[in-house]
Amino acid sequence: MTMNREGRPTTPDEVGSTAPDTFTGNRALRIEEPVIFDVGTAEATGVDLPEPDGAVKSRLGGLERSEPLDLPGLAEPEAMRHYVRLSQKNYAIDMGLYPLGSCTMKHNPRLNEKMARLPGFADVHPLQPVSTVPGALELIAECARWLCVSTGMEAVAMSPKAGAHGELCGMMAIKAAHAAHGENRSIVLVPESAHGTNPATAALLGYKVVAIPAREDGTVDPAAVIERLSDDVAGIMLTNPNTCGLFERDIVEIAKAVHEAGAYFYCDGANLNAILGKARPGDLGVDCMHINLHKTFSTPHGGGGPGAGPVVLSERLKAFAPLPYVKMTAAGPELIETPADAEADGTKPFGRMTAFHGQMGMFVRAMTYMLSHGADGLRQASEDAVLNANYVRAGLQDVMSLPFGERPYMHEVLFDDSFLDDTGVSTLDFAKAMIDEGFHPMTMYFPLVVHGAMLIEPTESESKASLDLFVATLRDLVMRAKRGEVDRFKGAPWYAPRRRLDETAAARHPVLKWTPPEPQTADAAE
Ligand SMILES: *Cc1c(COP(=O)(O)O)cnc(C)c1O
């Protein structure tokens, strides 16, 4: 059995199992899969191309490769099996509950996929003449209109390709706005509970980040903000609902103080799914906010991406939105693409975030989600997301610990590890034991404001039966931890294709290049 540096096994093993080893190393339908370089060969291929007839002249001016590329090749059925086997080792929202807090892993309705595959949307090319794609531009403009209306904001930059990219876009608009007023402010305020992307974004733009501590109750105290405001503060980056799953009740007062100091209010809107149809960020004094279409509006996440992170902007910032943008006119949609177009339109874009207009396929999916729900359905989705999170809280609060007390949460509920005190089981062990039970773990050790955080976001797309099983499973695990079944937790996951990996070593010394195994020599064989 292979062990990692922490002395924990990295190969599959069953608890106290007497199951026999298999000849192949596979365990029934759980089939081992080597990396493609180990199975592929340069000669194998899934395609048959005719040999070039000597007449083809190279246009590489003598820079042709002198050696073969050494890429692994597989025949078509082998390639198919390789990738299908790998995909089956991955957990997915289509397999089970995925309660990652702050990530909003909700069901992606298949209707969205169907619409995104319509040839008129799927096959357009960003370099196609604008006159041939008025429908696509109109869809971008309509999606933008829904985002502005539902957030109470004036304009939206559609092109950013993720939440973090949207943050960068919003903060660049803020920087441009200060520059337009002849100011060069150097500080951005960020609460301690913020997503790591907030301080990273501010730092990337050369700002100094000043942290705002959380109050006892997990929210931001306006007094703590006011204390840190000065004419050198460019803005604040605040998340609402915050990453503890709590609504920042003093947001209006905070916004007012920030504006009075001549700064701007960036709201991290990744958690819009909790308030959509209930509260409009524009009414709360927000100047700009990214919206992760891959969270609130059910477009796929991560490996199923790409994402899209449009940024809604207030009256004070809208002129600085990046190029290109779509403008609806009586004659139809118009694409404003160049600084000259922008000048004629009376705007002052800070530049460009991406080569083209953003993720068309994601706009189609998000628009489908909006239209199929309608305004009332979107409000219902927020209400159900909050209801589901509170159902999980109510089902677990007597056995797990709530750092901010038994009170209503928004779309996610935050537990800490004090219920594990004296059990010898850590947050990490607990999460690994959830994998054995067939659940993806919740978000762990984030936000940093509580010890051993476990942030659970069930989303509105889980049924009551699914939540009941989840709650019952976690209750069972808590009882096992309290009963002293420490080994079960320390050895978990027992049933995953890989056990505990040394994640620290993997991050510090990543092996990014495959090296061929040493050829076996006769000497070595002896
Ligand atoms: C998800 C998230 C982000 C970043 O979004 P990406 O699309 O992953 O870049 C930022 N802030 C919060 C609070 C988030 O939950």
Side-chain angles (χ1 to χ4, degrees), residues 328-364:
M328 284 307 284
T329 68
E334 192 188 326
L335 189 65
I336 310 288
E337 274 190 290
T338 62
D341 288 351
E343 203 177 329
D345 192 36
T347 63
K348 290 174 266 190
F350 66 71
R352 226 171 227 275
M353 292 301 290
T354 65
F356 302 114
H357 330 308
Q359 305 284 21
M360 188 64 204
M362 297 304 126
F363 301 153
V364 180

Side-chain angles (χ1 to χ4, degrees), residues 102 162-164 167 195 197-198 239 243 268 270-271 290 292 294-295:
S102 207
E167 286 174 38
H195 197 269
T197 50
N198 293 190
T239 310
T243 54
D268 181 330
N271 300 331
H290 71 265
N292 290 8
H294 47 291
K295 291 180 182 170

Side-chain angles (χ1 to χ4, degrees), residues 61-83:
L63 294 173
E64 299 83 1
R65 291 189 72 89
S66 52
E67 285 163 34
L69 207 50
D70 254 354
L71 287 178
L74 291 175
E76 184 175 311
E78 291 168 332
M80 208 63 212
R81 283 182 185 161
H82 176 72
Y83 289 108

